Amino acid sequence: MDALDLARWQFGVTTVYHFLFVPLTIGLGVYVAGLQTAWHLTGKEHYLRLTKFFGKLFLINFAMGVVTGIVQEFQFGMNWSEYSTFVGDVFGAPLALEALLAFFLESTFLGLWIFGWDRLPKRIHLACLWAAVIGSNLSAYFILAANAWMKHPVGYEVVDGRARMTDLWAVLTNSTALAQVPHVVAASFVVAGGFVIAVAGYRILRERGLGLRPGRRARMAAGDATTPMRRLPDMWRTSLRAALVMTAIAGAVVAGSGDLSGQLLREQQPMKLAAAEGLRHDTAGAPFSIAPGVEVPGLLSLLAAHDPGATVQGVDDIQARYEKTFGPADYTPNLPVVFWSFRVMIGFGMATVGLSVLGLWLTRRPRRRRGGTAKPVPDWFARLCVLALPLPAIAIISGWLLSEIGRQPWTVQGELMTAASVSPGVSLGEVAITLAIFTVLYGVLALAEGVLLVRHVKAGPELPPAESAPAGAVPAQPDEARLTPTLMY
């Protein structure tokens, strides 16, 4: 093991950790903005409570994403100076736009939203949140455009061993970026939808007294209708339904943009496509491998070229062609990681979207024109929602592993190899020390975020003042009847 191996591990660990927060921030911001918009349009109080409840979860996650994102930029200079030297003139523009335009837009208006409750007019306050949400999505666009350039470099020329940008518009409208942005952003909505679904499922179970200690459940049963949560019977069903709709729609966008990405892989990164399918040789009518030994004839060609008889290049044949073009080297990525990452991404992603479709069916409102009532959320489905919490996060992380490991051994496809990107002056010991520090620090931060999120979810939303209870009723317990705001603002 050398400094290159540890530098790659360090970048992978910190990036995966950071990427846990970014998708949730992107999707949850839109969800919270939608809730506040619903409150503004309808005036219904439960939308306001949901806005503040999920708003705090959004802010906790946003703060952690900012903290972990700062480390990413320092790594470019510390461990990857040769890479930074080569791509700096190209990366500088989209990253500057991300920092000076998107992030400042996001952070400035998010601050106004946090401290603007009861100080700004309702419309202005709502507009601040939407501006912050737009900023977070613009930030994702610029970063993904820079990342797409590494996979399919365009709008540049190499001068004195460095890439010099010749066309900013070509970089920002790279075909890979135009497919990757909707794919990743929609996947972020799936992650956020899965998170809200799990939280709503937990709160539904808690409201019903399920999953609690027997003594606590008895006290809730005795409190019955005097428990404040009982006065809001539709609040968690409303939040669940909204998340189910968002997840189902986003899942369809992920599938459509993923189809476009697959076609681009066949043209721009054939080695990644071949590795993802475990295809060793050029094959006409290539099969799609569901698992080793289980194949669907012609499906890979159909997905990659919309032609069941099209030829898809194989790993060994691409390796031979690359050796002729770029010289002797190993141009094959880690095949098991790429192969299984692809299947985990698809499997867990489909499971999350399938859960949302099932939930929409189970909670539908039958005979609406004849005054039918909405079906309650079944207990077993609420439990399933909680258990499914990690599925979308695992799916999107697997997609990132597929995307980045599948590009190896290149950092910039066809131009710069990973082995030539590492800082020449960094020693094995220096990288090992920083890797250990970051691992421990990030572990502590993960624990802190987990504690904060769990504590807030268990506490529940801000509730209205309790009405006078009938004689002999058992008062609601503190964690079920918060009479003070739960948000820091």
Side-chain angles (χ1 to χ4, degrees):
M1 181 173 289
D2 55 18
L4 171 62
D5 295 323
L6 283 187
R8 292 182 63 188
W9 269 104
Q10 179 173 302
F11 196 85
V13 169
T14 55
T15 303
V16 166
Y17 188 87
H18 175 63
F19 200 55
L20 288 172
F21 306 110
V22 173
L24 184 55
T25 297
I26 292 173
L28 197 56
V30 173
Y31 182 80
V32 173
L35 289 174
Q36 186 167 344
T37 302
W39 171 62
H40 178 74
L41 294 176
T42 66
K44 294 181 179 179
E45 200 69 15
H46 67 272
Y47 284 124
L48 175 60
R49 296 192 185 94
L50 288 173
T51 298
K52 291 190 173 185
F53 175 73
F54 285 107
K56 187 169 185 180
L57 297 176
F58 165 68
L59 293 176
I60 294 171
N61 190 77
F62 175 82
M64 194 64 68
V66 172
V67 171
T68 56
I70 293 174
V71 175
Q72 302 300 99
E73 298 181 3
F74 281 105
Q75 286 190 87
F76 289 134
M78 294 187 298
N79 293 346
W80 303 98
S81 62
E82 292 297 320
Y83 165 81
S84 299
T85 299
F86 182 81
V87 305
D89 290 346
V90 176
F91 263 44
L95 293 187
L97 288 170
E98 188 276 331
L100 299 177
L101 175 61
F103 181 72
F104 272 83
L105 175 68
E106 179 183 17
S107 57
T108 299
F109 283 97
L110 189 59
L112 290 172
W113 183 72
I114 293 172
F115 298 105
W117 288 96
D118 301 323
R119 293 180 177 89
L120 294 174
K122 287 175 59 176
R123 290 185 180 181
I124 300 299
H125 188 250
L126 175 61
C128 288
L129 179 55
W130 277 112
V133 168
I134 292 171
S136 66
N137 282 269
L138 281 176
S139 178
Y141 181 88
F142 291 128
I143 291 175
L144 290 172
N147 178 264
W149 186 86
M150 297 165 61
K151 302 169 184 174
H152 180 230
V154 295
Y156 76 106
E157 60 181 1
V158 177
V159 180
D160 298 329
R162 299 177 59 177
R164 178 181 296 174
M165 185 171 60
T166 59
D167 189 346
L168 174 61
W169 184 249
V171 173
L172 295 179
T173 59
N174 189 343
S175 58
T176 301
L178 296 181
Q180 183 171 271
V181 169
H183 190 67
V184 174
V185 171
S188 300
F189 290 165
V190 174
V191 171
F195 176 80
V196 175
I197 288 169
V199 171
Y202 171 81
R203 292 304 311 181
I204 288 171
L205 293 173
R206 191 172 180 85
E207 179 184 341
R208 295 171 182 173
L210 301 176
L212 300 176
R213 292 188 299 272
R216 179 75 189 101
R217 184 160 55 247
R219 288 194 297 271
M220 282 193 66
D224 195 29
T226 65
T227 301
M229 288 302 299
R230 304 287 178 151
R231 299 203 300 271
L232 302 171
D234 292 331
M235 185 172 72
W236 295 113
R237 184 182 180 280
T238 298
S239 66
L240 177 64
R241 288 275 301 179
L244 292 171
V245 170
M246 182 175 76
T247 304
I249 294 175
V253 177
V254 169
S257 56
D259 176 69
L260 177 58
S261 296
Q263 297 176 59
L264 292 175
L265 282 182
R266 178 172 175 263
E267 302 171 3
Q268 300 169 1
Q269 300 179 81
M271 180 65 86
K272 182 187 294 186
L273 178 62
E277 290 302 326
L279 190 67
R280 305 297 309 194
H281 301 286
D282 296 354
T283 305
F288 181 88
S289 176
I290 299 175
V294 182
E295 298 180 341
V296 179
L299 183 57
L300 177 58
S301 294
L302 179 63
L303 293 173
H306 289 184
D307 179 1
T311 297
V312 179
Q313 300 179 59
V315 170
D316 294 342
D317 295 322
I318 297 172
Q319 170 69 28
R321 285 191 282 269
Y322 279 4
E323 288 182 356
K324 292 180 180 180
T325 303
F326 302 109
D330 184 4
Y331 298 98
T332 304
N334 189 315
L335 294 180
V337 172
V338 176
F339 180 87
W340 286 110
S341 294
F342 185 43
R343 276 138 194 84
V344 171
M345 176 189 71
I346 293 178
F348 283 24
M350 290 181 63
T352 304
V353 176
L355 178 71
S356 68
V357 174
L358 174 63
L360 289 173
W361 171 257
L362 291 173
T363 60
R364 68 193 185 280
R365 189 184 298 272
R367 304 190 308 275
R368 181 176 300 178
R369 294 181 181 178
R370 289 178 286 171
T373 58
K375 292 187 175 182
V377 179
D379 292 343
W380 66 265
F381 181 74
R383 290 190 179 94
L384 186 61
C385 290
V386 176
L387 294 175
L389 173 62
L391 296 185
I394 294 174
I396 200 168
I397 290 298
S398 298
W400 180 85
L401 293 175
L402 165 68
S403 178
E404 299 306 306
I405 295 179
R407 191 183 65 246
Q408 297 302 315
W410 302 100
T411 46
V412 180
Q413 184 75 30
E415 291 287 355
L416 182 68
M417 299 188 73
T418 305
S421 303
V422 70
S423 299
V426 175
S427 68
L428 177 63
E430 290 171 334
V431 181
I433 291 173
T434 55
L435 174 58
I437 292 173
F438 284 139
T439 301
V440 173
L441 177 61
Y442 278 19
V444 173
L445 291 175
L447 179 62
E449 163 140 349
V451 169
L452 290 173
L453 291 177
V454 170
R455 180 181 299 172
H456 183 63
V457 171
K458 285 186 175 181
E462 176 185 348
L463 296 175
E467 298 170 0
S468 56
V474 177
Q477 299 300 307
D479 66 339
E480 292 294 332
R482 284 208 175 270
L483 304 182
T484 56
T486 59
L487 286 178
M488 71 283 287
Y489 52 88

